[in-house]
């Protein structure tokens, strides 16, 4: 079973630091590609075509989800979110916020609407969007408001990752849209259906190949140091599993302290390997969100009064738990459907990449 990170919201993965970071630390990188678009993708994107030939990129077809056991849960969540979005539009304040959102999107990407391929929409959701006048058909493409499209694509990515046969997590470089993936809720003493405590983990100081490093050079490095990179990746995965299952705050703190020492050592070893291979790099960070599996910890954390999480930044840490430096762990409350939560509790299910150009890696060693 391969460890896969699946990029969203677009079919093509932008050439940049996110792609290089993902390629270095995961077995393969993927994106959601309709079968009818696969040939065009390889024709238009030489990098993805070459990575696919070498086994480091894999297209994931949306029809896997459309014929899977997860389809009913996916459609149920989509219906709920679409209706919530429609209600927001009917609210005067919602219309203002949507207009501001569209202006911001227009300034950053020169467009306020987003096109989604037919194959990425189930029959039920397509009919709902047309009925609610939220979508315009344009041959095999469907035009939606940018904000609604991001909400839909993030939900689609979440459930496609669930239905995939490999150990697949979703990832994106679109940090501003993250709250559309898992809407934030206030903490509450009373556990609600969509008020789930999660561990919000920030891995600092991970070396990332610089933009002047070719993808071929990263692949050669991965092949040469395959066992070392696998060990480093497994260290992070094991840590996520351990803290997800920690029964008490005391054990949680112990695991974080132990991991802090291990990750600092592993990072230094990785940077030395990169330097020795002539791969220039800079320091970056990756954020992971995982569910809590321990019933006792769930009960403990649900009773903590919390604050709203904004822009996916840690808003609250348990006293003494936040570790400055290599890793920071905080507790937040996010909107996660219980069905999805139960299936994702054993692994990090969301990875965000943050570039942090605080210095050249040589200065860190």
């Amino acid at each position: 079973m391969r460890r896969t990170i699946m990029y969203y919201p677009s079919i093509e993965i932008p050439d940049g630091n996110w792609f290089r970071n993902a390629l270095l630390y995961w077995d393969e990188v993927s994106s959601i590609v309709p079968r009818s678009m696969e040939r065009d993708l390889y024709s238009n994107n030489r990098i993805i075509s070459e990575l696919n030939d070498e086994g480091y990129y894999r297209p994931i077809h949306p029809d896997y989800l459309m014929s899977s056991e997860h389809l009913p849960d996916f459609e149920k969540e989509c219906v709920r979110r679409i209706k919530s979005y429609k209600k927001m539009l009917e609210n005067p304040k919602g219309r203002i916020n949507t207009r501001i959102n569209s202006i911001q999107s227009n300034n950053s990407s020169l467009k306020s609407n987003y096109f989604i391929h037919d194959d990425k929409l189930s029959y039920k959701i397509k009919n709902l969007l047309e009925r609610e006048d939220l979508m315009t058909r344009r041959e095999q493409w469907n035009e939606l408001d940018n904000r609604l499209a991001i909400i839909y694509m993030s939900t689609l990515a979440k459930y496609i990752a669930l239905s995939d046969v490999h150990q697949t997590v979703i990832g994106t470089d679109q940090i501003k849209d993250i709250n559309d993936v898992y809407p934030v809720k206030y903490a509450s003493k009373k556990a609600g259906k969509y008020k789930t405590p999660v561990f919000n983990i920030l891995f600092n100081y991970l070396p990332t190949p610089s933009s002047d490093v070719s993808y071929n050079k990263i692949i050669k490095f991965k092949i040469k140091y395959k066992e070392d990179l696998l060990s480093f990746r497994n260290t992070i995965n094991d840590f996520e599993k351990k803290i997800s299952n920690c029964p008490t705050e005391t054990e949680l703190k112990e695991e974080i302290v132990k991991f802090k020492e291990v990750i600092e050592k592993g990072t230094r070893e990785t940077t030395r390997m990169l330097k020795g291979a002539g791969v220039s790099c800079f320091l970056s960070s990756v954020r992971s969100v995982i569910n809590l599996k321990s019933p006792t910890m769930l009960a403990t954390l649900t009773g903590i009064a919390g604050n709203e999480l904004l822009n996916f930044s840690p808003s609250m840490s348990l006293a003494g738990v936040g570790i400055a430096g290599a890793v920071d762990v905080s507790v937040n409350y996010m909107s996660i459907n219980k069905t999805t939560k139960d299936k994702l509790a054993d692994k990090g299910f969301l990875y965000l990449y943050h570039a942090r150009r605080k210095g050249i890696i040589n200065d860190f060693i």
Side-chain angles (χ1 to χ4, degrees):
M1 183 178 292
R2 309 196 75 188
R3 297 192 184 278
T4 305
I5 184 165
M6 182 176 68
Y7 180 82
Y8 79 94
S10 60
I11 294 174
E12 290 196 41
I13 306 173
D15 178 16
N17 294 329
W18 188 95
F19 204 167
R20 285 172 170 79
N21 181 277
L23 191 60
L24 180 62
Y25 291 108
W26 270 266
D27 295 333
E28 64 182 9
V29 185
S30 67
S31 60
I32 306 170
V33 186
R35 290 183 187 274
S36 61
M37 294 294 296
E38 191 172 347
R39 183 175 295 180
D40 288 342
L41 174 64
Y42 300 145
S43 298
N44 298 330
N45 194 309
R46 178 184 57 80
I47 292 172
I48 288 182
S49 178
E50 291 177 359
L51 291 175
N52 175 257
D53 291 340
E54 295 177 23
Y56 293 101
Y57 170 82
R58 175 171 61 98
I60 299 183
H61 305 302
D63 54 30
Y64 288 142
L65 170 62
M66 303 308 171
S67 59
S68 80
E69 62 177 323
H70 302 295
L71 180 62
D73 289 333
F74 164 69
E75 291 184 325
K76 183 178 179 181
E77 184 165 340
C78 283
V79 169
R80 176 178 61 81
R81 290 191 171 186
I82 291 169
K83 288 183 176 179
S84 176
Y85 179 80
K86 180 75 171 180
K87 189 179 295 184
M88 181 271 297
L89 288 181
E90 294 168 353
N91 183 298
K93 290 183 179 179
R95 287 198 296 271
I96 293 172
N97 291 336
T98 303
R99 189 160 60 247
I100 292 173
N101 180 274
S102 296
I103 291 171
Q104 290 173 339
S105 299
N106 190 56
N107 289 338
S108 61
S109 62
L110 300 180
K111 63 179 182 181
S112 59
N113 286 352
Y114 192 98
F115 290 87
I116 296 179
H117 194 276
D118 254 350
D119 292 353
K120 293 184 177 182
L121 291 163
S122 72
Y123 179 78
K124 179 178 180 178
I125 299 305
K126 194 182 300 183
N127 283 345
L128 174 62
L129 289 170
E130 288 183 325
R131 230 176 22 247
E132 298 291 344
D133 197 26
L134 294 172
M135 182 180 78
T136 303
R137 297 288 301 276
R138 299 186 185 279
E139 297 182 353
Q140 62 180 345
W141 295 92
N142 304 279
E143 186 177 5
L144 285 75
D145 173 81
N146 186 69
R147 183 174 178 183
L148 177 59
I150 293 297
I151 292 172
Y152 178 80
M153 284 304 302
S154 61
T155 309
L156 178 69
K158 180 170 65 173
Y159 281 90
I160 284 181
L162 273 175
S163 61
D164 192 41
V165 295
H166 292 286
Q167 184 86 353
T168 302
V169 296
I170 64 174
T172 183
D173 55 350
Q174 302 296 315
I175 310 302
K176 62 183 176 59
D177 295 322
I178 199 61
N179 281 340
D180 285 332
V181 188
Y182 299 101
V184 176
K185 298 290 182 180
Y186 288 96
S188 170
K189 291 185 178 180
K190 193 174 183 180
K193 185 177 180 182
Y194 300 109
K195 296 177 183 176
T196 306
V198 294
F199 283 131
N200 190 352
I201 311 169
L202 179 65
F203 301 105
N204 291 307
Y205 307 134
L206 291 185
T208 294
S210 302
S211 57
D212 60 345
V213 177
S214 70
Y215 290 96
N216 285 334
K217 197 166 188 177
I218 296 174
I219 295 302
K220 289 179 181 178
F221 179 83
K222 281 173 68 94
I223 294 172
K224 183 177 181 180
Y225 295 100
K226 180 179 178 180
E227 295 303 319
D228 300 276
L229 286 172
L230 182 61
S231 176
F232 188 57
R233 178 72 236 176
N234 286 341
T235 297
I236 295 176
N237 286 326
D238 288 344
F239 171 68
E240 291 177 336
K241 288 182 180 179
K242 285 179 181 177
I243 68 167
S244 176
N245 287 278
C246 275
T248 66
E249 288 184 53
T250 301
E251 291 185 43
L252 172 65
K253 294 172 186 177
E254 290 175 356
E255 290 295 340
I256 293 171
V257 172
K258 284 191 294 185
F259 178 75
K260 179 179 180 290
E261 298 168 353
V262 171
I263 198 70
E264 286 176 341
K265 179 176 180 292
T267 298
R268 281 181 164 80
E269 290 174 350
T270 302
T271 57
R272 289 190 182 100
M273 290 188 296
L274 286 162
K275 181 182 178 183
V279 179
S280 62
C281 47
F282 61 94
L283 302 181
S284 65
S285 61
V286 174
R287 189 179 297 282
S288 169
V289 179
I290 64 170
N291 284 295
L292 283 73
K293 197 174 181 183
S294 166
T296 54
M297 281 295 287
L298 277 167
T300 299
L301 299 178
T302 302
I304 297 176
N307 301 304
E308 186 177 15
L309 175 65
L310 297 174
N311 299 323
F312 215 67
S313 300
S315 63
M316 178 183 67
S317 295
L318 294 175
V321 170
I323 305 296
V327 58
D328 290 298
V329 179
S330 61
V331 177
N332 294 114
Y333 288 76
M334 307 187 84
S335 178
I336 303 173
N337 184 284
K338 186 177 185 298
T339 305
T340 307
K341 179 186 70 175
D342 291 343
K343 294 183 178 72
L344 293 175
D346 284 332
K347 64 179 181 178
F349 60 89
L350 178 64
Y351 281 85
L352 292 172
Y353 170 83
H354 300 255
R356 299 180 61 193
R357 294 183 177 274
K358 287 194 173 181
I360 304 301
I361 209 67
N362 293 6
D363 299 330
F364 178 68
I365 294 176

